[in-house]
Amino acid sequence: MHIPPYYKKKSVQRFLVGAFAGAVIAYFIFIYMHGSMYGQLLEENRALKSEVNELKNQNEALLKDNENLDEKSKEPIKVETIDITIKNEEDLSDSLIIHDLEELIKEEIIHIVGKDVSIISESDGLLKATIENKDFTVDDFTYQFTVDTLIIHHTVKVAVEAEIGE
């Protein structure tokens, strides 16, 4: 048996080239869609992990306060959460880096959760110095921060500006 040489016809050649080009284009579109979906899922995952860590720390601090509640008759105001805001987010390259930097700053000052607000407000300079004097490294880049705003109450709100270090 002999198979006829259809591959020599121009119409068959055009069909095969079109099918190959379509397959390549479809593959690149698939890779792009998969990458963007994976990036969104990764960002959501990091945000949820940071929320879980924050809630765990808040829960530990509140449990510790409940143990000490019997000893104290007057309840002082305690720090419950930390809120970090990076003012120049548009200068940073990726939203994942922003989440990582916020988490690194929170880890650096997490010890203030559960402490009395009056004690923290007395040492606000130390809190600012803790953030400003530390270099934070994410993806082979070193970032330094300057504290713009520091509000101390139930929620400690810190607004910082990021600079790429050396």
Side-chain angles (χ1 to χ4, degrees):
M1 283 255 9
H2 181 67
I3 300 172
Y6 286 122
Y7 59 88
K8 291 183 180 180
K9 288 186 176 181
K10 289 289 184 188
S11 61
V12 173
Q13 289 177 351
R14 286 186 191 128
F15 172 75
L16 292 176
V17 168
F20 180 74
V24 169
I25 291 171
Y27 180 73
F28 283 124
I29 289 173
F30 171 76
I31 292 296
Y32 171 75
M33 290 172 57
H34 178 72
S36 63
M37 179 194 67
Y38 187 73
Q40 289 172 352
L41 288 175
L42 193 60
E43 184 177 337
E44 182 181 338
N45 186 13
R46 288 192 183 188
L48 290 174
K49 279 184 181 180
S50 68
E51 185 178 343
V52 165
N53 286 337
E54 183 178 331
L55 290 174
K56 280 182 183 178
N57 292 330
Q58 183 180 0
N59 190 19
E60 289 174 5
L62 290 175
L63 286 174
K64 190 183 293 184
D65 286 344
N66 282 342
E67 292 173 1
N68 296 334
L69 184 63
D70 298 333
E71 300 170 5
K72 299 178 184 177
S73 61
K74 184 179 177 185
E75 176 89 23
I77 299 174
K78 303 280 186 180
V79 174
E80 295 176 1
T81 58
I82 300 171
D83 183 29
I84 306 292
T85 304
I86 299 175
K87 285 191 171 188
N88 56 345
E89 288 181 352
E90 63 276 352
D91 294 343
L92 301 176
S93 60
D94 192 7
S95 62
L96 295 176
I97 291 175
I98 294 169
H99 286 298
D100 288 343
L101 289 172
E102 288 174 354
E103 283 303 308
L104 287 172
I105 294 172
K106 281 182 185 179
E107 288 175 11
E108 191 66 28
I109 61 172
I110 197 68
H111 63 277
I112 66 171
V113 174
K115 303 284 183 180
D116 189 9
V117 170
S118 63
I119 295 171
I120 301 300
S121 64
E122 289 174 3
S123 60
D124 63 339
L126 183 62
L127 192 61
K128 283 183 182 179
T130 302
I131 295 170
E132 290 177 350
N133 292 335
K134 174 91 175 181
D135 294 336
F136 299 95
T137 304
V138 174
D139 293 340
D140 298 331
F141 290 105
T142 302
Y143 296 92
Q144 296 172 339
F145 294 99
T146 55
V147 177
D148 286 342
T149 307
L150 178 64
I151 300 172
I152 301 173
H153 199 39
H154 288 292
T155 300
V156 174
K157 295 182 182 181
V158 182
V160 296
E161 285 192 20
E163 299 173 0
I164 296 179
E166 299 171 13

